[in-house]
Amino acid sequence: MSRAIVTLSATQALSKLRSKEISATELTKAVLERAKQVQVLNLFLEITEAKALEQAAAADAAYAAGNAGTLAGLPLGIKDLFCTAGIKTTAASKMLAPFVPAYESTVTAKLWAAGAVNVGKLNMDEFAMGGSGENSAFGPTRNPWDASRVPGGSSSGSAAAVAAYACFGATGSDTGGSIRQPASFTGTVGIKPTYGRCSRFGMVAFASSLDQAGVFARTTADAALLLQTIAGHDPNDSTSAPLAVPNWVGELGQANLKGLKIGLPKEYFIDALNPVIKDAVMAAAKRFAAEGAELVDVSLPSTPYAVAAYYIVAPAEAASNLARYDGMRYGLRVEGNGLIETYINSRTAGFGDEVKRRIMVGNYALSSGYYDAYYTKAMQVRTLIANEFDAVFKQVDVLFCPTAPSLPFKIGAKANDPVSLYLEDAFTIPASMAGLPGLSVPCGTAHEGDVTLPIGLQMIGPRWQEGRLLQLAQAWEQLRGTFTTPFKIY
Ligand code: GLN
């Protein structure tokens, strides 16, 4: 396998494919080899080698015929909650372990229509519940920067595979931070677009009022290209917005930093934030100021309540969405003595601890007598959070803040303390609750002993302003200089 090929950016790889300097088959074989070389990281639940080679051959034929799509021959990874027709889709749960969907999610259908190649289905926290990748029923994903640490979650395999050069980009989903936080933990670019920007058709549902598809890549330009491909209205998902998809790639390079108003929300620079992360984020903001941007201190007072409100709303929706896994229609079935016992046996065997915890919390919060105290209250907090963001975006163009309060931690370090893991999402959950777009871009590294770990800068924008975030992240990449994830053999 040629290291020179797999470490290209997606944009570079596509230009070499277009100029026929490399073939899609050659590129795909190199990526498949790399994916196998880093198998110890547990990135993929399935490497779809035959499918990948078939799609690569089709891409080569399309290049020869002069009708290649925008992503023709580009090897990508898919979070294992996007349904892929004829290919297992497990959501990293024993419940769905044997499930082979009969249809394709809209997001993946768009990627294949553009000519992309499916390297495989990526590991994740079970049903996207988690922030470390440790809740997968098929073992934790490891962080390519230090294999003894978590890569973040729930899109753990997506982030880690992109960082480890096992694919050029990947899909993810973000309900409360599952794209941005693992992007931060792996030194990749991750963008969660505005709620409604992408279709959720064919995505295994966790919390439907929060779930949103997005992408991981090693550069902002690559992320823009991938997001542009998967976004857009879909008649199969009535929550997808009937808006035209802007030309985000074409708009890159247009950021005007002079007079740009960058808000620094004080609730995101708290004591619980690792000072090394704080310094890196502030240094990035100051670098923008040196280019003529104005730094504005702002306040989003309801921020401290976002995690608590999220852990009512998300489990409530999850309890409802996961009621369908009962051993009857599809997925795992463990026979019992009669209907109820079969339900109980199937759900007991099929779901992991975190999923069960959320189903119990969700059903409790929705039960009569508690509904107003918990669910209604949480929804009121959600409205406050959204209103505060709207008010702040009348004063500033964008918010800069840390993506996560801590550096990637050791596997197992928080496994027995769900609440401390929940707090890892304190900076990503608020934008999710408000449905706003958020992006994480690497802004530096930290050192723990002789281990180097990445730090993410989060940018949050007003609704439908993904383009602004992508432009600013790319402007930041130019100010920052090259940032590469380590190419290691484990
Ligand atoms: N870590 C958060 C949770 O466990 C967010 C997950 C997500 O965005 N899917 O719910």
Side-chain angles (χ1 to χ4, degrees):
M1 175 254 317
S2 157
R3 169 176 175 160
I5 288 190
V6 297
T7 56
L8 294 170
S9 73
T11 307
Q12 290 166 334
L14 284 165
S15 89
K16 285 188 194 292
L17 286 167
R18 258 176 238 126
S19 67
K20 304 204 171 69
E21 203 179 312
I22 51 173
S23 73
T25 302
E26 193 185 335
L27 184 67
T28 299
K29 282 187 175 158
V31 169
L32 286 167
E33 202 180 312
R34 177 65 183 161
K36 290 180 203 163
Q37 187 179 58
V38 294
Q39 231 152 13
V40 63
L41 300 175
N42 205 15
L43 308 172
F44 290 91
L45 295 176
E46 183 182 354
I47 295 177
T48 50
E49 180 156 4
K51 181 81 191 168
L53 292 171
E54 182 190 310
Q55 287 172 317
D60 283 329
Y63 279 113
N67 59 5
T70 48
L71 301 181
L74 186 72
L76 300 177
I78 304 298
K79 185 174 185 180
D80 205 25
L81 58 56
F82 291 88
C83 284
T84 39
I87 295 169
K88 261 194 308 181
T89 299
T90 69
S93 180
K94 277 191 235 158
M95 183 57 92
L96 286 175
F99 176 55
V100 178
Y103 68 100
E104 192 75 30
S105 78
T106 298
V107 161
T108 48
K110 287 184 174 209
L111 293 173
W112 315 143
V117 167
N118 185 2
V119 181
K121 302 299 293 287
L122 294 158
N123 204 355
M124 54 182 282
D125 283 302
E126 183 177 6
F127 285 104
M129 298 176 191
S132 67
E134 295 164 287
N135 292 340
S136 167
F138 308 112
T141 313
R142 296 175 176 276
N143 192 321
W145 290 74
D146 172 5
S148 70
R149 292 175 195 255
V150 304
S154 67
S155 309
S156 54
S158 307
V162 171
Y165 305 98
C167 52
F168 287 96
T171 63
S173 69
D174 190 312
T175 303
S178 280
I179 291 177
R180 291 159 287 158
Q181 186 254 18
S184 170
F185 274 25
T186 55
T188 53
V189 178
I191 179 163
K192 175 202 98 80
T194 312
Y195 182 80
R197 185 58 101 173
C198 298
S199 169
R200 292 181 298 110
F201 179 74
M203 279 169 72
V204 176
F206 164 11
S208 305
S209 77
L210 295 154
D211 295 346
Q212 184 55 209
V215 296
F216 291 88
R218 291 191 288 267
T219 69
T220 298
D222 291 356
L225 177 63
L226 298 177
L227 188 66
Q228 194 163 311
T229 311
I230 66 167
H233 177 63
D234 175 10
N236 283 328
D237 175 6
S238 57
T239 66
S240 68
L243 290 176
V245 180
N247 181 359
W248 288 314
V249 176
E251 289 170 3
L252 291 175
Q254 290 176 13
N256 183 3
L257 306 187
K258 287 226 164 32
L260 175 81
K261 290 202 169 88
I262 299 173
L264 300 170
K266 76 170 196 291
E267 292 78 7
Y268 288 65
F269 294 90
I270 49 176
D271 288 347
L273 171 63
N274 181 325
V276 179
I277 299 176
K278 180 179 175 178
D279 290 348
V281 170
M282 284 310 298
K286 288 190 181 128
R287 191 68 192 76
F288 275 85
E291 297 296 313
E294 188 187 332
L295 304 183
V296 186
D297 289 322
V298 297
S299 174
L300 294 159
S302 298
T303 303
Y305 309 109
V307 171
Y310 170 88
Y311 277 98
I312 296 295
V313 174
E317 294 185 19
S320 164
N321 273 325
L322 273 60
R324 71 188 68 161
Y325 303 107
D326 56 9
M328 298 295 152
R329 282 161 284 194
Y330 42 78
L332 186 78
R333 177 186 178 101
V334 180
E335 293 297 336
N337 195 2
L339 182 70
I340 299 295
E341 210 179 279
T342 301
Y343 285 164
I344 293 172
N345 290 354
S346 301
R347 288 168 70 82
T348 301
F351 292 136
D353 287 349
E354 183 61 26
V355 175
K356 286 178 183 153
R357 191 176 292 129
R358 303 227 184 165
I359 291 173
M360 286 189 279
V361 169
N363 281 323
Y364 181 83
L366 290 177
S367 55
S368 71
Y370 296 109
Y371 183 94
D372 287 338
Y374 294 110
Y375 190 76
T376 307
K377 202 41 122 195
M379 289 305 277
Q380 287 166 340
V381 172
R382 188 172 184 181
T383 302
L384 284 178
I385 291 169
N387 291 347
E388 288 170 10
F389 274 115
D390 287 347
V392 155
F393 284 125
K394 293 204 171 85
Q395 296 171 50
V396 299
D397 303 306
V398 64
L399 294 168
F400 278 20
C401 57
T403 308
S406 348
L407 296 168
F409 44 88
K410 293 269 190 189
I411 291 175
K414 295 181 192 255
N416 296 319
D417 187 356
V419 173
S420 93
L421 199 51
Y422 296 171
L423 290 171
E424 286 297 312
D425 294 316
F427 301 152
T428 48
I429 280 176
S432 296
M433 292 291 264
L436 302 177
L439 170 154
S440 181
V441 59
C443 71
T445 53
H447 301 278
E448 276 193 7
D450 52 8
V451 178
T452 304
L453 299 166
I455 300 173
L457 161 67
Q458 182 177 210
M459 300 181 180
I460 302 173
R463 213 155 276 117
W464 313 117
Q465 296 301 318
E466 293 85 358
R468 187 181 303 169
L469 299 184
L470 291 163
Q471 288 174 20
L472 292 176
Q474 204 216 22
W476 164 244
E477 287 174 344
Q478 278 158 5
L479 296 173
R480 180 200 64 197
T482 317
F483 182 97
T484 45
T485 60
F487 183 96
K488 292 199 214 176
I489 296 169
Y490 303 88

